[in-house]
Amino acid sequence: MVLTAGRERIGSLLTVLCGAIFLEGVDIAMINVALPSIRADLGLSTGTLQWVMSAYVLGYGGFMLLGGRAADLLGRRRMFLLWLTVFVLFSGLGAIADDGGTLIIARFVTGVAAAFMTPAGLSIITSTVPEGPVRDRALMIYAGTAAAGFSLGLVIGGVLSAIDWRWVFLAPVLFALCLLAAAVRLIPRQPRVARSARDVDVVGAVTITAALVVLVLAVERAPHTSFVSTAAAAVVAIALLTFFVLWERRAAQPLVRLGILRSTRLVHANLTTLLLAAAFFGFQFLAVLYLQEVRGWSTLATSFAMLAIGADAVLAPTLTPRLVARFGHRRVIVAGMLLAVLAYALFLPVGPDWGYAAMFPTMILLGVSFALAYGPLTITATTGVEESEHGLASGLLYTSFQFGAALGLSAVTGALAGGFHVALVVPLISALIAAATALRS
């Protein structure tokens, strides 16, 4: 289904979809910034507060692959609109929550909603805009908007938390309602592929979702639980994944066509994305820890210090497409990852009295590196995929990104036992491996 609509309609559609991915990025960042205010107001324990963060990660990372395939089988427009509505409802529930349990439920379901909505949005772009320079530019804009949402969310969350933390939940509701009204009108209709329950691989869907939920839980909770608990969860996840692979090989209508993983380009793109996210989110966690706990900076000052990373929002749709057109996707991705290596290396000798001028090169280089790498990785991971599997390819990409983020946060948290500078080596190594992986793609 490739539309012959003009550039104006494509531009309007892209605006709506970029708004949704911006909303997702803002939502994650704002909650992270608002956690201290939420804890103080509701009197939450450290464990409960941790679960407010973990619940979203579990919902998002665990259901992403299922969400991507559901878009292919049940209709991308249908999935996008349905789960954007769920996002509105449960973000609203978070705004009126008076206890930790309600807040955890709201964050989990919001994460699930994002897991279905995000791959549906990306696959709408790839199935609507023909392959070529126009789609490449659209995907660059989309990727840049996603990163901008996270970067700006730190600042927006700091401002809203200073007023009242409940606005961190209410503001996305208002924005999402506007997006929903526009999406109903602009997103093209698409027939559903699955006509009955027999067309859906229920066993595969339940198995892979359970496997990913347990795997994300094992990685995300590793620094806070015993080795035995982590190992047990990892064994259960591996067992479920093994069963899933065996089932998919014999299923009449498999949820995931395993042959898609024979694409070396797709596999390398997903692995590079995983490592990029691990390095990026691991470093951001350490940088925030340094600025707030070592330097004593306020939440808002920390947010503004990280804002330079948001340079990718400007560079992704302007500079990156020109570089890709001249040098190709692989070289631009490798250049982006090498810049990330340089950025993390420059931050290694950070001291307790560093001024912001000494930190700025790392922040701006990270913005440039993300702009160069993430958009082309999105293109590489979805190019050449059959239209009937665009949602699956999108789900794989975002699962890799989300799992990488959880892995990076877990790794740096565990490495902190050896000291702050030891933990800073983790993002550097992740970026180095990502650059080597990108070179082979």
Side-chain angles (χ1 to χ4, degrees):
M1 181 195 64
V2 176
L3 300 183
T4 57
R7 288 178 178 270
E8 183 176 342
R9 181 170 179 80
I10 290 176
S12 299
L13 173 64
L14 185 60
T15 299
V16 171
L17 298 174
C18 283
I21 197 67
F22 180 83
L23 174 67
E24 185 266 339
V26 164
D27 180 72
I28 296 173
M30 289 198 303
I31 298 301
N32 289 343
V33 173
L35 285 175
S37 300
I38 294 172
R39 177 176 186 168
D41 188 33
L42 299 184
L44 303 183
S45 66
T46 301
T48 301
L49 194 69
Q50 177 65 35
W51 272 108
V52 172
M53 298 173 62
S54 300
Y56 185 92
V57 173
L58 284 178
Y60 197 3
F63 285 80
M64 184 68 75
L65 188 57
L66 177 59
R69 195 60 181 136
D72 291 331
L73 296 175
L74 304 178
R76 294 164 188 132
R77 181 180 188 272
R78 182 180 289 107
M79 288 294 98
F80 184 87
L81 295 178
L82 170 64
W83 289 100
L84 180 56
T85 302
V86 174
F87 187 97
V88 169
L89 294 175
F90 280 85
S91 189
L93 177 63
I96 62 174
D98 285 323
D99 61 90
T102 302
L103 201 55
I104 289 170
I105 292 171
R107 292 306 293 161
F108 177 76
V109 179
T110 302
V112 174
F116 279 83
M117 182 176 69
T118 303
L122 179 57
S123 61
I124 287 171
I125 295 175
T126 58
S127 62
T128 301
V129 184
E131 280 191 18
V134 176
R135 183 196 285 185
D136 287 359
R137 183 173 177 82
L139 291 176
M140 300 287 188
I141 295 171
Y142 190 73
T145 304
F150 190 84
S151 299
L152 293 176
L154 295 172
V155 178
I156 297 171
V159 172
L160 293 179
S161 296
I163 301 171
D164 189 326
W165 65 263
R166 295 184 186 277
W167 275 105
V168 168
F169 291 89
L170 284 173
V173 169
L174 300 176
F175 185 56
L177 285 172
C178 295
L179 286 176
L180 188 59
V184 169
R185 183 172 59 89
L186 291 171
I187 296 179
R189 295 185 180 276
Q190 177 204 34
R192 59 187 289 168
V193 175
R195 299 295 180 182
S196 68
R198 285 178 294 181
D199 294 329
V200 179
D201 178 13
V202 177
V203 174
V206 172
T207 305
I208 190 60
T209 301
L212 290 174
V213 166
V214 175
L215 187 60
V216 171
L217 179 63
V219 170
E220 202 275 335
R221 299 292 297 172
H224 313 287
T225 58
S226 67
F227 172 78
V228 174
S229 298
T230 301
V235 169
V236 171
I238 291 171
L240 287 168
L241 286 171
T242 301
F243 177 82
F244 172 75
V245 171
L246 295 174
W247 176 267
E248 293 302 282
R249 284 180 173 177
R250 60 186 292 270
Q253 299 286 342
L255 180 77
V256 176
R257 185 181 64 85
L258 298 178
I260 196 173
L261 299 178
R262 295 194 188 104
S263 170
T264 303
R265 177 173 57 187
L266 181 144
V267 171
H268 282 165
N270 277 271
L271 182 56
T272 304
T273 299
L274 184 151
L275 293 165
L276 178 151
F280 187 76
F281 284 92
F283 174 80
Q284 282 204 330
F285 172 79
L286 294 174
V288 169
L289 193 67
Y290 167 75
L291 291 171
Q292 292 192 352
E293 295 195 4
V294 177
R295 303 301 303 277
W297 289 22
S298 68
T299 298
L300 196 56
T302 301
S303 301
F304 277 112
M306 306 287 286
L307 190 58
I309 299 176
D312 61 340
V314 177
L315 298 175
T318 55
L319 175 64
T320 308
R322 296 179 183 179
L323 294 176
V324 167
R326 182 169 181 180
F327 300 106
H329 296 100
R330 187 181 68 169
R331 291 181 180 178
V332 175
I333 292 169
V334 172
M337 294 315 307
L338 290 176
L339 280 179
V341 171
L342 176 60
Y344 299 134
L346 289 174
F347 207 81
L348 280 179
V350 64
D353 57 350
W354 266 30
Y356 184 65
M359 306 176 216
F360 181 76
T362 291
M363 304 302 178
I364 193 66
L365 281 174
L366 278 182
V368 176
S369 71
F370 206 93
L372 295 183
Y374 187 55
L377 281 170
T378 303
I379 296 168
T380 304
T382 54
T383 298
V385 177
E386 293 291 332
E387 184 185 330
S388 61
E389 295 182 324
H390 281 187
L392 173 59
S394 301
L396 285 169
L397 179 69
Y398 285 118
T399 298
S400 298
F401 189 86
Q402 187 64 30
F403 183 73
L407 186 63
L409 289 169
S410 177
V412 298
T413 303
L416 277 171
F420 187 76
H421 289 88
V422 172
L424 282 171
V425 175
V426 173
L428 178 62
I429 294 175
S430 296
L432 278 169
I433 299 174
T437 303
L439 268 173
R440 297 183 60 190
S441 62

